[in-house]
Amino acid sequence: AAKETQILEKERKAKLQYEKQLEERQRKLKEQKQKEEQRRAAVEEKRKQKIEEEKERYEAVMHRTLERNQRLETRQKRWSWGGSVTPDSESKTALLYTASKRSTSTANLKQPEAAMNKRLSSSAALLNASDRTRRSQLSPLDSSVISRLLAPTQASLARSKSAATLSAD
């Protein structure tokens, strides 16, 4: 009977040991799964963050590009008659309208004084002489745009004429 109890006791201990081992394995597997999930979540979070940074960088580049284009357009509109150097169909009508308004408003200024013309043409000649070497390196389109911008306009002639009359008074 004592031997039987010892055998039963050994079997019970072995069974407890086996159950402990099973529980330990399950706990380790559970920890491993949690670590794997945490690693996946960290990788996913990092990927999302990287995508967000790329998106912000792209938006910043687009914003800078749009600002630069708007500055260029503003600069071109400031220095050209019709608003842009190459007007589209809408700008063409605005250009024609503006040109007709200018021609009617400056109709009285068609006969500028000879002295003022002489002074303006001599200053333009000085500018043209110093810029000829630079302009020879430009394309024909660029040089025509520059020469158009350097030529005195009806408005500048009118301002000069009115300034001359005011100073004479």
Side-chain angles (χ1 to χ4, degrees):
K3 268 198 169 193
E4 239 178 82
T5 14
Q6 279 182 345
I7 291 175
L8 285 174
E9 188 65 27
K10 278 186 180 179
E11 285 178 4
R12 188 179 65 78
K13 282 184 181 180
K15 192 175 183 181
L16 281 174
Q17 183 69 23
Y18 178 74
E19 287 175 358
K20 263 187 180 177
Q21 285 176 349
L22 257 174
E23 286 176 6
E24 186 67 24
R25 270 192 210 140
Q26 287 175 349
R27 186 184 59 80
K28 283 184 180 179
L29 280 173
K30 200 178 213 182
E31 286 177 2
Q32 192 176 5
K33 281 183 183 180
Q34 284 177 344
K35 284 181 183 178
E36 185 67 25
E37 284 178 23
Q38 287 175 348
R39 189 188 66 77
R40 280 189 191 136
V43 166
E44 183 66 24
E45 184 64 32
K46 197 172 185 179
R47 186 185 67 81
K48 283 182 182 179
Q49 188 176 8
K50 198 172 185 179
I51 288 173
E52 187 65 30
E53 288 172 1
E54 287 291 322
K55 183 179 176 184
E56 289 174 5
R57 194 175 303 129
Y58 174 75
E59 288 175 356
V61 166
M62 289 301 293
H63 182 71
R64 283 194 305 267
T65 304
L66 287 175
E67 280 182 358
R68 195 177 307 127
N69 285 345
Q70 286 175 344
R71 281 195 306 263
L72 285 174
E73 281 182 24
T74 305
R75 200 174 297 148
Q76 287 174 348
K77 285 178 184 177
R78 192 181 316 147
W79 295 110
S80 66
W81 283 104
S84 66
V85 177
T86 56
D88 56 0
S89 61
E90 291 178 17
S91 296
K92 284 180 183 176
T93 58
L95 177 65
L96 291 174
Y97 175 72
T98 311
S100 66
K101 271 179 68 176
R102 278 197 192 100
S103 65
T104 57
S105 67
T106 58
N108 297 332
L109 301 172
K110 293 292 181 185
Q111 304 147 354
E113 294 180 15
M116 191 58 66
N117 270 345
K118 187 175 183 180
R119 193 179 317 151
L120 285 174
S121 65
S122 65
S123 63
L126 286 175
L127 282 173
N128 286 340
S130 65
D131 287 340
R132 272 194 197 114
T133 55
R134 259 188 256 137
R135 243 190 272 151
S136 64
Q137 298 168 352
L138 297 175
S139 70
L141 176 65
D142 290 340
S143 66
S144 69
V145 168
I146 289 174
S147 63
R148 191 187 83 212
L149 291 173
L150 288 174
T153 61
Q154 290 291 329
S156 68
L157 290 173
R159 281 194 301 273
S160 301
K161 184 178 178 183
S162 64
T165 11
L166 285 176
S167 65
D169 290 344

